[in-house]
Amino acid sequence: MALILRICKRSTKTLTCQRSRQVRLLSNDVVTQFQNLLGESNVSIAETTRQHHGQDESPFPGAMPDVVVSPKNTEQVSSVAKICYERKLPMIPYGTGTGLEGGVCAVKGGVCLDLSQMEESIDVNMSDLDATVTASITRIALNNYLHDTGLWFPIDPGADASLCGMVATSASGTTAVRYGTMRENVINLEVVLADGSILHTAGKGLHPRKTAAGYNLTNLFVGSEGTLGIITKATLRLYSIPEKMSATCSFPSTEDAINSVEQILLYNVPIVRIEFLDESAVDACNKYSHLDHPVQPMIFLEFYGSKAEIESQVDIVEEVISSQNGTELKWAKTTEEHSKLWKARHNALYAAKALRPGSKAKITDVAVPISKLAEILTKTKEEIKKEDLLCCIVGHVGDGNFHCLVMHDPSNQQELEKIEAFSSKLAIFAQDLGGTCTGEHGIGLGKMKLLEREVGNTGMSVMKSIKKALDPHNLLNPGHTVEIKLSEIVLSQS
Ligand SMILES: Cc1cc2c(cc1C)N(C[C@H](O)[C@H](O)[C@H](O)COP(=O)(O)OP(=O)(O)OC[C@H]1O[C@@H](n3cnc4c(N)ncnc43)[C@H](O)[C@@H]1O)c1[nH]c(=O)[nH]c(=O)c1N2
Ligand SMILES: CC(C)CC(=O)C(=O)O
Ligand SMILES: [Mn+2]
């Protein structure tokens, strides 16, 4: 037991001095081994490269890996994993670094596998409405490729993330209310496991629309945040590109806006996007994206379908919003206006940060059952006022999911503590209302305790058993999501 305690203490120290850590975990011969395998230009120990790969778009301070390798195909990923497994080196998969929960921060050093340099391949089955992509393909690249086919992949987190990274974080975004999240849209995955073996979660080369064959291994990897395997290929559902129209509507209060959303959903209107912005978010977007909306709570809506279908949806929506004191729908009349509207929504993060130049944004991500949305938003607004926070709220309210963007000075400890407390309180509100601490951004570095609170001891112990079964040496993205401690590894091996 004494030995175990000593090991744990040392590992904590390594963690806290990550940023200034000079001594690398790697010996030169490992670097040479990677160079022989991948070619010199695909292995980097340059500080700027390591820094870039140890940081995502979250406010977490980055943590550099010891080396960044750029495998070109699945076999090379597998060979890298075999080396890491043999030498017990941490492996951190890197997609495009747009994550918002510190997922790529190499908190225990190790080998970053930059998958953006993998050979690009998109294999489309038009008649089956699916496509298989390699890990370097981003969602915009896929949609550009598909453009002339009349098909698209609709899951839209705003950022041009890699599709396999979106699988890894279980991403969603503005269109989930109609198309679901990554969870509902992945058919099969190719995954390199910790020891380098290659798994096809739904069987090699298979792409059925449904399956009841054994455990759902595909979904096990959705939201696994690099901690269970390295996703090298994903087979995804495609849809036909519909006709679309967008509009906006302002409300005197948040409650009126949210009541409208609830009713629109209850009337079963097949809305494709229904996004909420509070008055601070409207103000920020007006300034940043040169819009002129009244500074009041708003919803942005998008309708898909034929002219007649859209008309019948709009009839219901107009009736609902007028009963909730909403303004008349203001339509985006041209393609440019349509793009400008959604671009402004997707740039909400940058708009919010511009309210306080030089600030960072703490981003919350709770989701609650729709019936509790008005209640949690009211409580959240009260907290924001009480704590005097500079905060914008945006939300995929059709899914009961919203984000507070709280601007702060990361060097101001007092401010940081206040914001962390606000963020935890909000997550606990959500859980107590039957919701979750993360609708789409993941657990990453900051929400492990909240995950425990959410799934309970038994849930946690099942998650840890899965982690131990697939990654017995805790090499895959250690320090994130579901952590098995050194003591548990030592005990389980003795
Ligand atoms: C402005 C803006 C707006 C948004 C968002 C970001 C930004 C910058 N996001 C978050 C982000 O786009 C989302 O988390 C992506 O899924 C991350 O994909 P990357 O390829 O960038 O993964 P990134 O490289 O950031 O990695 C994220 C995590 O996944 C792991 N990972 C990456 N690729 C992997 C692979 N091939 N195999 C195994 N593990 C892998 C990493 O190890 C890490 O833990 C978001 N998200 C969302 O859901 N809804 C939204 O609305 C938004 N909006
Ligand atoms: C920075 C976040 C607010 C990004 C996001 O999830 C969104 O814009 O919906
Ligand atoms: Mn979002």
Side-chain angles (χ1 to χ4, degrees), residues 53-342:
H53 285 81
Q55 175 79 65
D56 61 7
E57 297 263 358
S58 71
F60 287 104
M64 285 190 279
D66 297 284
V67 62
V68 178
V69 300
S70 303
K72 297 285 176 262
N73 52 45
T74 305
E75 287 63 39
Q76 289 191 347
V77 174
S78 163
S79 302
V80 169
K82 282 180 183 154
I83 295 171
C84 293
Y85 192 76
E86 200 184 305
R87 295 176 177 259
K88 305 286 171 283
L89 296 172
M91 297 172 245
I92 305 100
Y94 180 96
T96 56
T98 68
L100 296 171
E101 291 297 340
V104 298
C105 298
V107 289
K108 299 194 176 165
V111 180
C112 169
L113 289 97
D114 178 354
L115 301 159
S116 67
Q117 301 306 309
M118 280 186 75
E119 283 152 9
E120 292 180 3
S121 156
I122 302 177
D123 185 4
V124 180
N125 278 308
M126 291 274 288
S127 38
D128 296 322
L129 295 175
D130 66 46
T132 299
V133 298
T134 48
S136 51
I137 303 297
T138 65
R139 71 177 183 90
I140 292 182
L142 174 61
N143 282 331
N144 286 342
Y145 183 82
L146 288 172
H147 188 262
D148 294 336
T149 66
L151 300 178
W152 74 316
F153 181 67
I155 311 306
D156 174 21
D160 188 20
S162 73
L163 291 155
C164 290
M166 286 167 60
V167 175
T169 61
S170 189
S172 48
T174 54
T175 56
V177 62
R178 170 73 175 268
Y179 293 101
T181 70
M182 289 307 281
R183 266 190 213 288
E184 290 81 35
N185 285 288
V186 184
I187 296 172
N188 201 348
L189 294 172
E190 180 187 82
V191 184
V192 172
L193 300 177
D195 64 0
S197 51
I198 300 167
L199 166 73
H200 295 89
T201 56
K204 190 168 181 181
L206 308 186
H207 52 122
R209 296 297 276 188
K210 62 189 256 190
T211 170
Y215 297 146
N216 190 337
L217 296 184
T218 304
N219 253 311
L220 182 59
F221 287 89
V222 180
S224 61
E225 301 183 67
T227 64
L228 295 180
I230 302 151
I231 302 160
T232 44
K233 275 187 193 160
T235 304
L236 306 168
R237 286 175 178 246
L238 302 179
Y239 299 80
S240 30
I241 301 176
E243 291 299 312
K244 51 194 169 194
M245 283 177 75
S246 291
T248 56
C249 175
S250 303
F251 294 85
S253 74
T254 296
E255 218 181 347
D256 287 327
I258 301 305
N259 286 343
S260 303
V261 173
E262 244 184 81
Q263 284 186 33
I264 289 167
L265 296 175
L266 279 176
Y267 278 113
N268 236 340
V269 178
I271 202 90
V272 173
R273 290 172 155 142
I274 184 155
E275 293 285 312
F276 170 77
L277 288 83
D278 78 342
E279 54 276 34
S280 307
V282 173
D283 182 39
C285 289
N286 275 349
K287 288 174 178 149
Y288 188 81
S289 297
H290 311 291
L291 302 175
D292 58 357
H293 296 295
V295 180
Q296 284 181 315
M298 285 190 80
I299 52 176
F300 288 11
L301 303 114
E302 192 168 68
F303 301 89
Y304 285 2
S306 65
K307 198 164 173 274
E309 283 164 343
I310 293 181
E311 268 169 17
S312 79
Q313 295 172 35
V314 170
D315 283 348
I316 302 172
V317 169
E318 282 183 335
E319 206 176 308
V320 167
I321 58 181
S322 82
S323 74
Q324 295 296 329
N325 312 308
T327 57
E328 269 185 23
L329 288 177
K330 186 174 164 194
W331 292 95
K333 295 199 186 72
T334 59
T335 317
E336 289 70 37
E337 276 181 26
H338 181 275
S339 307
K340 191 173 172 191
L341 180 70
W342 291 106

Side-chain angles (χ1 to χ4, degrees), residues 396 403 440-441:
H396 316 296
H403 312 297
E440 53 178 23
H441 297 161

